[in-house]
């Protein structure tokens, strides 16, 4: 059964995974889904005998049509052989009554590395044999840009331009981006805020003049956005791998149900878990953890998704989001693949700012998903209490998932619950120290200070940062982004 992809919103011509990776998003604005996902599960016993790379191979062979087995195995090797800290790509650690799945052992100490180390290879294989080249444009508020550049660095037939709001990212984030190596990498500070950079990137994707210019050199613009199936599918792997580790630790036996608690923003991470369940992983409940931006908590309780509310800046910025794009894929499956309904909900969201599920779809989602949210004070309290009780240091995003897992256990959930950890505490050192009552204003001093009380050392790439040379110094106005993209394309692909 080959996996052919089509839009969530209407019947579109089926395309294979290679084409879906290249296209990113469907022409009708919908997201690519494989309708038969769930009809042919993986054999759980077999999965549990494999290592991370083996599970990845099995999952990808099922979902990544158009790629040969050899291509997939090369992608896996390129992504995971050397760029993660140890043999275990995503280690599972018992922390109190909860198991914490560490997704941050990659090159930039954030969970986005798991997908962004392999997406460039998926893209490169899809371009191989053609004369086409892909130039990735990314606007970033800090984290995604670094993880994307690190993944695309020197990957054939690809280049990347990252735009961050000048003066509005943390000093660590700035240094991470400004010191990025790679012949095919360009970084620009943009005058204004994140939205200014983001709006201009969106405009450039639609700029016919720019596209025509680039097309002369067979360059197409592309994005490394989390709605790309090439980012979503790699995240399925660690759900199975976490399950395998729980078996190896003697906590469960093959077939036993488990629950996951996931710090959620754009809904990509937790959706990958849902895909794993459609592929046969026995999951009881997905706990969807949010911060003060609690649009998903309300949605899971009421069936009404209402983005008409203030945007709140929190200490878990990667979850500061009011529109969770990947939720559209859950709506597709939970509504029994009713594309007309999905299209209507998305239209309502765009025009009215909210939509309301029908009773049946709402029940289907509520049977597997539960939400919960924690404001900054509650997150800091969780960081402090967890450190006190267990000696383990949580980052502010992981703290939301941990708190929700603990609250679920306290109210009768049987467990086991796996809380996904999406960032190293060293990426958010100052807020973490603050939670622990150890304020420190200098970011590098803060890392040193944290390393004295955290058994886990400073991740090597972060430890090297203070000495890393600055390679990118350009600061430009939004109106200069277009010319700089054209120039970058010429230089990179010359
Ligand atoms: C991106 C991100 C999240 C949210 O993941 P989604 O897939 O967008 O739901 C959570 N925590 C951290 C640290 C992240 O970088």
């Amino acid at each position: 059964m080959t996996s052919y992809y089509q839009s969530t919103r209407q019947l579109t011509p089926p395309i294979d995974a290679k084409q879906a990776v290249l296209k990113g998003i469907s022409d009708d604005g919908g997201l690519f889904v494989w309708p038969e996902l769930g009809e042919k599960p993986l054999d759980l016993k077999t999965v549990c005998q494999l290592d991370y790379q083996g599970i990845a191979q099995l999952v990808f062979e099922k979902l990544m049509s158009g790629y040969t087995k050899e291509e997939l195995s090369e992608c896996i090797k390129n992504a995971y052989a050397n760029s993660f800290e140890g043999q275990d790509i995503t280690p599972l650690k018992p922390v109190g009554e909860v198991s914490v799945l560490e997704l941050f052992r990659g090159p930039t100490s954030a969970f986005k590395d798991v997908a962004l180390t392999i997406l460039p290879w998926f893209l490169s294989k899809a371009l191989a044999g053609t004369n086409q080249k892909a130039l990735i444009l990314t606007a970033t508020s800090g984290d995604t840009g670094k993880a994307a550049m690190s993944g695309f660095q020197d990957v054939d037939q690809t280049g990347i331009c990252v735009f961050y709001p000048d003066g509005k990212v943390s000093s660590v984030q700035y240094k991470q981006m400004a010191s990025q190596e790679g012949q095919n990498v360009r970084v620009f500070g943009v005058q204004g805020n994140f939205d200014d950079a983001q709006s201009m990137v969106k405009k450039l994707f639609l700029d016919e003049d720019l596209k025509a210019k680039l097309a002369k050199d067979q360059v197409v613009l592309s994005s490394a956005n989390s709605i790309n199936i090439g980012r979503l599918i790699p995240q399925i792997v660690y759900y199975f791998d976490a399950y395998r580790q729980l078996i190896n630790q003697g906590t469960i036996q093959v077939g036993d149900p488990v629950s996951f608690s996931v710090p959620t923003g754009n809904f990509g991470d937790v959706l990958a878990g849902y895909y794993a369940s459609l592929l046969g992983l026995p999951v009881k409940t997905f706990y969807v953890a949010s911060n003060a931006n609690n649009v998903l908590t309300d949605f899971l309780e009421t069936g009404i998704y209402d983005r008409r509310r203030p945007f709140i800046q929190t200490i878990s910025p990667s979850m500061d989001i009011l529109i969770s794009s990947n939720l559209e894929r859950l709506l597709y499956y939970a509504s029994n693949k009713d594309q007309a309904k999905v299209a209507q909900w998305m239209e309502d969201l765009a025009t009215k700012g909210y939509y309301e599920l029908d009773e049946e779809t709402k029940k289907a989602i509520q049977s597997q998903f539960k939400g919960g949210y924690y404001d900054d004070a509650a997150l800091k309290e969780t960081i402090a209490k967890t450190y006190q009780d267990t000696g383990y240091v949580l980052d502010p995003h992981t703290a939301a998932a941990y708190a929700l897992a603990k609250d679920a256990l306290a109210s009768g959930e049987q467990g086991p619950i796996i809380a996904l950890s999406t960032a190293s505490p060293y990426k958010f050192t100052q807020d973490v120290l603050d939670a622990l009552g150890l304020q420190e204003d200098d970011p590098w001093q803060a890392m040193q200070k944290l390393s004295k009380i955290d058994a886990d050392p400073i991740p090597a790439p972060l430890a090297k940062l203070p000495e890393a040379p600055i390679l990118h110094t350009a600061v430009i106005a939004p109106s200069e982004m277009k010319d700089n993209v054209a120039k970058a394309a010429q230089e990179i692909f010359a």
Side-chain angles (χ1 to χ4, degrees), residues 110-112 143 235 263-269 318-319 397 422-423 428:
F111 108 96
K112 291 187 173 61
D143 274 351
Q235 299 179 7
T264 299
N266 212 18
F267 213 79
D269 199 0
S318 298
M319 294 154 70
H397 304 80
T422 47
F428 300 93

Side-chain angles (χ1 to χ4, degrees), residues 29 39 167 338:
E39 289 171 21
D338 192 328

Side-chain angles (χ1 to χ4, degrees), residues 67-266:
Y67 292 87
T68 65
K69 285 183 182 193
E70 293 70 30
E71 285 176 328
L72 292 173
S73 118
E74 263 179 63
C75 291
I76 294 167
K77 204 166 120 232
N78 290 339
Y80 300 132
N82 299 311
S83 2
F84 284 72
E85 269 177 39
Q87 272 310 104
D88 291 337
I89 304 300
T90 55
L92 184 73
K93 304 209 171 134
V95 178
E97 322 148 84
V98 178
S99 292
V100 171
L101 184 66
E102 297 184 338
L103 305 177
F104 58 78
R105 299 285 174 191
T108 77
S109 308
F111 108 96
K112 291 187 173 61
D113 285 334
V114 179
L116 281 169
T117 45
I118 196 161
L119 170 73
W121 300 105
F122 286 149
L123 196 58
S124 169
K125 297 287 179 208
L127 291 164
T130 75
N131 292 325
Q132 270 187 36
K133 295 143 230 167
L135 184 64
I136 312 294
L137 301 188
T138 303
T140 183
S141 52
D143 274 351
T144 306
K146 174 63 186 183
M149 283 190 288
S150 165
F152 277 97
Q153 177 185 348
D154 296 328
V155 172
D156 280 352
Q157 289 174 274
T158 73
I160 179 164
C161 293
V162 165
F163 303 95
Y164 67 88
D166 180 46
K168 298 205 170 59
V169 299
S170 79
S171 20
V172 175
Q173 288 173 325
Y174 166 73
K175 196 75 195 277
Q176 275 190 307
M177 289 192 280
S179 64
Q180 176 64 45
E181 296 175 354
Q183 176 276 329
N184 64 341
V185 164
R186 298 291 184 279
V187 185
F188 302 94
V190 177
Q191 291 153 2
N193 57 31
F194 171 67
D195 284 333
D196 299 323
Q198 168 93 319
S199 323
M200 186 51 78
V201 164
K202 284 186 178 160
K203 264 192 210 155
L204 295 183
F205 278 120
L206 302 173
D207 189 316
E208 294 304 330
D209 173 58
L210 177 65
K211 282 203 256 185
K213 238 184 226 158
L214 298 176
K216 281 190 202 140
D217 299 317
Q218 287 169 306
V219 177
V220 291
L221 291 178
S222 185
S223 102
N225 197 293
S226 80
I227 55 177
N228 194 307
I229 64 159
R231 269 189 69 178
L232 184 58
I233 292 170
Q235 299 179 7
I236 299 170
V237 179
Y238 52 71
Y239 283 90
F240 281 105
D241 193 61
Y243 191 84
R244 174 191 66 92
Q245 292 183 68
L246 264 192
I247 292 174
N248 291 350
Q249 292 171 8
T251 312
I252 55 163
Q253 298 190 331
V254 182
D256 290 348
V258 298
S259 294
F260 291 92
S261 182
V262 187
T264 299
N266 212 18

